[in-house]
Each structure stands twice: as structure tokens, then as C-alpha cells.
Amino acid sequence: MRVAAFQLDATLGSPQARFAEIEACMARAAGADLAVFPELALTGYGAGPLITDAATAPDEALTPLQSLVERHGTAMVIGLAFREAAGNAVNAAAILRPGAEPTLYAKRMLYGDYEKDLFEPGRAEPPIVDIGGLACGVLVCFDVEFPELVRSLALRGAEAVIVPTALPRSPGARFIAEHLVPVRAFENQVFLVYTNHCGADSRFAYQGLSSIVAPDGSLLAAASDTEAAMLVAELNPSAYADCRAQNPYLEELRRAGLAPKCD
């Protein structure tokens, strides 16, 4: 499966400018099976109450994005906010595929008072969908820092975990991007696509350092901490069969009866 991950500049500003950039990125991703964009890519992460003020029902938010997916024949995972039927705003990822109904996932682990004041936490388990013949699980930003969530996806059969993120700049954030993310891939023997913003908006400066990581923890592609970028990589599970054999964490958990039972 060929993936293109887009690290976006936080200075893009308005939703109109952001959609135009996403549209241009989808054209650049021609030939990829999947294009990945950051958390809250349509509004920007730091837009505060403007995010929830603009949040609509999923159908309204997703229609123009689905049109891009159909036009280019490339699936998309993108961060956005929408309102649930009960009226709550959630920080979500949308998985859009040509000819298929959208799949939505609401972020379960909200980070800090900023997110908790804006959103309700998701309750549903992260989805796994087929993209380009690969079983892809989806999380959002802070979710990936909880090993239980990535492990659950791996035990359920995910071969790749796609993570739109908005990681603000800090010494701890650099450690997360450069060390924690590769460890999550290695300890679960999955590909991990971690897609961040760079630059700054009115509230936050972002760490950048988006990456596509292989099951052996190696970087297949990586962005700088300052510049917008398109990362491209081929995700081929069979190329890492030896690594899985040498590091059979999931198999041994099942053998020891320590793995939760998954349908």
C-alpha cells in the first residue's frame, strides 16, 4: 500500500485556505492508495471555540472531502470536528475511500483543558478498515501515547495505524515524535503513519516531525520540525516477516492468555 502523509503549515489560516491546500495535496498524492492529513486539518488545531462553532453533522462536513477522494481515486484519513446526533462536538478522524461509506472515529483521549473544554471524548473503539489491501487502524494524536490503544488495534488485526496529530512543540513532544512513535510501531509490529502540523497559529507552535515508521521501528520517511512536507512510502508487511518472527510480542501474549479476546 502506497501512502502519502502531509505535514501542513499551521499558518494556512482560514478553513477556505486549508481546504484549498488539502485539495492541492490530493492532486500531489496521485498514484497513492492513501493520503493522510493532521488532526483538525480543516480548521487548524488552535482555532479554539471557532472549531466547535463551525462543527456540523458528519454528512455536511464530509461531502466535499468525499468528492476529492472520488475525483482522485485516493483514500483519505483526515482530522476534523463534527457534531454527533446528541449535539456534542467531537475531535475526530474521518476515513474516506472511493466508492465506500465514510468511517468516523472520535478521539477517546482528549489532551488537557483546551480539548476537554471544546469536545466530548469518543466512546467507540478505534476502527479498522481495508485500504489498498492493508488493514488500517486509526487513532488521533494523544491516543497513540497510550500503549493499550495501539496494542488493541494490533491484536484485532491492524497492520498499520494511521494517526492524524497536532503535537505542540516542547522537549517532551520531540521525544514523543522521535522515540515513542517508533517504539509503538516496533512493540506491535505494525506500520505507523504519524502526521503533524508545523509552524504556529495564534495559540500553539507545533513540533512537526511527522513520520512513516516500519514494524522494525525504522523510519521510512520523516519530515523536519519546521517545514511543510509530503512523505511517501510503500507499506509492505511481507518485507518484515523476519522482524515479526524475531519479535513475536502479539503471539506470545495470546499464548500466555494475556491478550484480550477480540472478535
Side-chain angles (χ1 to χ4, degrees):
M1 191 260 280
R2 185 175 178 84
V3 61
F6 291 93
Q7 179 165 291
L8 296 185
D9 190 336
T11 64
L12 281 168
S14 72
Q16 293 80 11
R18 289 178 164 279
F19 185 84
E21 179 65 14
I22 290 163
E23 187 173 26
C25 289
M26 287 295 287
R28 291 174 64 198
D33 297 290
L34 172 65
V36 184
F37 296 90
E39 181 180 10
L40 296 171
L42 287 175
T43 56
Y45 180 78
L50 294 176
I51 299 171
T52 49
D53 290 347
T56 63
D59 287 351
E60 184 176 346
L62 297 178
T63 296
L65 296 172
Q66 187 69 40
S67 295
L68 291 180
V69 166
E70 300 294 347
R71 184 194 316 165
H72 294 287
T74 300
M76 176 193 296
V77 173
I78 189 168
L80 76 167
F82 69 87
R83 290 201 177 275
E84 298 178 307
N88 302 319
V90 293
N91 180 351
I95 306 99
L96 306 166
R97 296 172 290 169
E101 289 295 314
T103 300
L104 294 167
Y105 166 67
K107 183 178 183 179
R108 297 184 71 174
M109 309 306 293
L110 299 178
Y111 182 75
D113 290 340
Y114 176 72
E115 289 191 21
K116 292 180 175 73
D117 288 344
L118 292 173
F119 305 110
E120 289 293 319
R123 305 297 180 191
E125 68 180 5
I128 299 175
V129 299
D130 181 277
I131 301 174
L134 211 64
C136 295
V138 176
L139 298 171
V140 178
C141 196
F142 195 38
D143 287 335
V144 80
E145 297 173 40
F146 293 82
E148 299 84 356
L149 292 178
V150 185
R151 177 57 51 83
S152 174
L153 282 168
L155 287 169
R156 290 166 52 209
E159 299 167 285
V161 178
I162 314 301
V163 188
T165 193
L167 183 69
R169 181 181 296 272
S170 74
R174 178 171 288 276
F175 180 87
I176 289 164
E178 293 184 334
H179 299 285
L180 184 147
V181 167
V183 167
R184 287 288 174 272
F186 183 86
E187 69 189 1
N188 292 288
Q189 293 295 295
V190 295
F191 295 96
L192 204 152
V193 182
Y194 188 75
T195 310
N196 197 16
H197 304 267
C198 62
D201 56 33
S202 61
R203 278 186 172 84
F204 302 102
Y206 298 92
Q207 189 64 63
L209 299 178
S210 299
S211 60
I212 303 174
V213 186
D216 63 359
S218 64
L219 294 178
L220 298 178
S224 76
D225 57 0
T226 57
E227 301 295 328
M230 179 176 75
L231 308 180
V232 179
E234 298 283 346
L235 310 189
N236 179 9
S238 65
Y240 298 90
D242 287 347
C243 185
R244 286 192 296 276
Q246 292 168 20
N247 305 285
Y249 304 124
L250 305 182
E251 179 184 339
E252 292 301 329
L253 278 173
R254 294 188 181 101
R255 189 189 306 274
L258 297 174
K261 293 183 179 179
C262 304
D263 295 332

